Amino acid sequence: MKALLRKDLYWICTQLKLFLVMMAIFCALPGGNFLFFGVLYSVLLTTTTLMSLDETSKWEVLALMLPYSRRQIVAEKYVLGWMLLAGTLAVSVIFRLVWWAVGIAEPEGADFLAVLCVYAAVALLIQAVVSPVNFRFGMTRGRILSITFIAVTAGVGAALFVSSPEAAMGVARAMGSRVPVFVLPLLAAALSAASLPLAARGFRKRVEK
Amino acid sequence: MNAIEVRNLGKVYPGFELRNVKFTLPEGAILGLVGENGAGKSTLIRLIMGASAPSSGEARVLGADARSPEFTKIKDDIGVVLDEAHFPTSLNARQIGRVMADTYSRWDAGAYGEYLKRLELPEKKPVKDFSRGMRMKLALAAALSHDAKLLVLDEPTGGLDPMVRDEILDILEDFTRREDRSVLISSHIVSDLEKLCDYVAFLHKGELLLCQEKDRILEDYAMARVTEAEFESLPEEAVRGVRRGKYGVEALVERRLVNSAVTLERPSLEDVIVFFARGNRE
């Protein structure tokens, strides 16, 4: 696992420096809109970009012949995703504290933490969906399937909202009043962890066929 | 102990089938796996390394079933070189060394550094700027720097110039000086294998046509360059491959089945492989 993490950190430092800079900028900008991209990308970096690089360089073929288990190969991508997500959240909190201290932004306190919780939950949910698909089908087909899934889910949600906005808002309000916002990322993290065995099984099926 | 035991191994893909492959690589020996492109060499190596699931049969490597969970640990004793280096392309040799140090429990950074120097590989240049020869040398340096008991090489010399090929073969000869080290090397360059190997296995269209000690092959088979009439007098069961030309017939024959009155020549390994592949189709 340590070797795989080191390999991916080298990939990021040598090939994806620009993305790290962009993520830091998104985390640093005041307001929550750009922050979402920073948080989201921390997970997509591992589930799509690094997996694409592994496939293109055929590292996957070699990795299967080195002393790593298939489960380790899959789990490393999850762990790195979680590490990057935690790092992104920490960086964004630090920047907020600095902006408040120097008076660039108004203190947002609990609201900002609630926004972070929702963003982290969304990022982890996307990881839980995209990772098993990409490990099972490889990046070329996996990317198409993941985008289709996300687009259809968002489309259905939007259609429900447009067709009956009051009912949709009612459901959202009811959920919001019953589930504290900080529980959302914990639920999403549990879902993400639960998707790991599924991703490992999918990966085994793809590489062993 | 045998380094590799392959029993009735098979793999079915749409349009290709590896059929019932059986062979043994004794500890301390070098086995060359010969075959044309698409014969199934890489498929066989993937099965032996547990990277792919067989449709039938089994492969045991250094005493463990390649499909078993404990084989992951056994791979610590195996060095692998594939037909391309397959390293992350933006990493340099030094970074790859560090990744390998976390991969193999007996990684020897000193030995790796020595190989980089010997093979004139720059430590800080990204792999993507390496030539094919340099990439293969880097893969070899990584495979040899953790005190492996078994080396598995898939076409390590394919597409390389003769100087680099020779350098790689020299290093492999050095590796096998210790008696407990074994090598499985696949190639379609028969002359490379003739220099290096104790055993030769010939894979043709997914089928293992021949697997024997190299010296035994060269003793057991012979080339008969004869007229058409003389060819007709050869026992049919002795002929393993034939080529008819303007000036006569060339045939690979089993020496023991041919009358001693017929003039026979010692074949090269390439003759044996080529004529086995041709068969009696003419």
Side-chain angles (χ1 to χ4, degrees):
Chain A
M1 175 77 87
K2 192 177 162 196
L4 295 166
L5 283 169
R6 186 189 282 278
K7 184 267 301 175
D8 274 346
L9 290 173
Y10 281 144
W11 258 133
I12 292 171
C13 294
T14 53
Q15 188 87 351
L16 305 168
K17 271 182 280 192
L18 189 63
F19 289 98
L20 280 187
V21 173
M22 280 169 61
M23 280 163 65
I25 291 171
F26 288 149
C27 291
L29 288 172
N33 295 338
F34 287 103
L35 175 60
F36 180 67
F37 294 109
V39 173
L40 183 65
Y41 205 74
S42 65
V43 166
L44 289 182
L45 192 73
T46 50
T47 53
T48 58
T49 313
L50 284 171
M51 279 182 69
S52 290
L53 287 171
D54 282 354
E55 262 189 40
T56 313
S57 67
K58 296 189 182 169
W59 162 261
E60 244 181 27
V61 180
L62 179 63
L64 288 168
M65 302 206 180
L66 298 180
Y68 317 127
S69 67
R70 285 154 177 72
R71 202 182 172 83
Q72 281 174 332
I73 293 172
V74 174
E76 180 270 338
K77 287 284 187 283
Y78 274 77
V79 170
L80 187 61
W82 297 331
M83 283 165 59
L84 285 174
L85 177 60
T88 309
L89 296 177
V91 168
S92 63
V93 169
I94 290 167
F95 271 113
R96 287 305 178 288
L97 291 174
V98 172
W99 297 154
W100 297 335
V102 297
I104 289 178
E106 291 295 310
E108 295 162 280
D111 285 349
F112 177 66
L113 288 179
V115 167
L116 275 190
C117 285
V118 172
Y119 286 178
V122 172
L124 287 166
L125 277 176
I126 288 175
Q127 185 191 39
V129 172
V130 170
S131 293
V133 174
N134 286 349
F135 273 112
R136 172 64 184 90
F137 297 103
M139 282 314 299
T140 311
R141 285 169 67 200
R143 209 184 326 239
I144 295 168
L145 289 169
S146 300
I147 291 170
T148 308
F149 176 81
I150 291 168
V152 168
T153 311
V156 169
L160 286 175
F161 190 82
V162 169
S163 64
S164 180
E166 282 180 19
M169 283 304 290
V171 171
R173 272 192 214 104
M175 279 177 68
S177 63
R178 283 185 193 152
V179 183
V181 76
F182 66 85
V183 174
L184 292 178
L186 296 178
L187 288 173
L191 208 63
S192 164
S195 76
L196 201 158
L198 193 65
R201 196 184 305 168
F203 180 59
R204 177 182 282 270
K205 269 196 171 177
R206 175 165 62 90
V207 296
E208 288 191 351
K209 74 174 181 193
Chain B
M1 189 177 86
N2 290 319
I4 300 177
E5 289 171 30
V6 171
R7 295 178 196 143
N8 307 319
L9 205 57
K11 179 79 182 174
V12 181
Y13 289 117
F16 175 78
E17 187 181 356
L18 189 72
R19 284 182 298 277
N20 204 28
V21 175
K22 296 175 218 175
F23 71 84
T24 300
L25 168 62
E27 188 182 75
I30 308 176
L31 186 144
L33 185 60
V34 200
E36 72 279 9
N37 292 327
K41 302 189 294 294
S42 297
T43 301
L44 181 56
I45 284 178
R46 282 171 58 79
L47 293 171
I48 288 170
M49 288 304 295
S52 183
S55 308
S56 59
E58 69 163 353
R60 295 188 73 81
V61 183
L62 300 177
D65 184 342
R67 300 283 299 143
S68 66
E70 67 260 28
F71 188 59
T72 302
K73 278 190 183 166
I74 295 290
K75 285 196 257 185
D76 202 33
D77 290 327
I78 306 173
V80 182
V81 179
L82 300 179
D83 55 343
E84 290 168 45
H86 296 340
F87 289 128
T89 47
S90 67
L91 272 62
N92 60 38
R94 184 179 287 180
Q95 290 166 328
I96 285 165
R98 286 184 189 140
V99 172
M100 292 300 142
D102 289 333
T103 300
Y104 292 107
S105 63
R106 292 194 307 280
W107 180 256
D108 183 344
Y112 180 66
E114 286 299 315
Y115 275 119
L116 293 186
K117 267 188 209 156
R118 176 176 170 185
L119 297 168
E120 297 175 4
L121 293 169
E123 283 192 32
K124 292 183 180 172
K125 196 173 177 177
V127 173
K128 66 183 169 208
D129 296 333
F130 278 21
S131 66
R132 179 174 159 74
M134 288 164 81
R135 287 182 192 206
M136 295 315 293
K137 287 197 262 184
L138 178 63
L140 198 60
L144 292 170
S145 300
H146 59 97
D147 193 23
K149 291 180 188 158
L150 169 68
L151 265 190
V152 175
L153 306 109
D154 188 8
E155 298 276 3
T157 55
L160 300 181
D161 64 59
M163 271 92 73
V164 178
R165 272 169 47 202
D166 206 47
E167 212 175 346
I168 287 178
L169 295 179
D170 277 351
I171 289 172
L172 291 178
E173 271 178 3
D174 280 352
F175 174 80
T176 51
R177 289 221 169 104
R178 245 176 60 185
E179 282 182 3
D180 60 339
R181 289 172 163 177
S182 320
V183 178
L184 169 66
I185 175 171
S186 84
S187 181
H188 57 266
I189 306 171
V190 182
S191 58
D192 286 351
L193 300 183
E194 193 159 9
K195 279 184 207 167
L196 197 68
C197 296
D198 306 311
Y199 292 82
V200 173
F202 175 45
L203 199 58
H204 181 59
K205 295 181 181 170
E207 211 169 334
L208 197 65
L209 294 187
L210 176 75
C211 184
Q212 262 183 339
E213 273 182 67
K214 180 186 70 185
D215 294 340
R216 184 81 190 273
I217 291 172
L218 298 177
E219 280 167 20
D220 284 358
Y221 296 96
M223 293 302 298
R225 294 187 168 88
V226 291
T227 63
E228 187 66 46
E230 287 169 325
F231 177 73
E232 291 303 328
S233 70
L234 291 173
E236 201 177 323
E237 65 274 18
V239 178
R240 288 308 181 99
V242 63
R243 176 160 56 201
R244 287 184 165 82
K246 261 187 198 172
Y247 305 106
V249 179
E250 278 184 299
L252 179 77
V253 293
E254 243 184 282
R255 199 183 281 269
R256 68 185 172 88
L257 299 175
V258 174
N259 188 318
S260 58
V262 179
T263 310
L264 298 176
E265 295 169 22
R266 188 180 165 87
S268 66
L269 190 57
E270 188 145 350
D271 289 333
V272 176
I273 298 301
V274 168
F275 278 82
F276 253 95
R278 291 178 71 87
N280 295 337
R281 66 184 180 205
E282 289 178 68

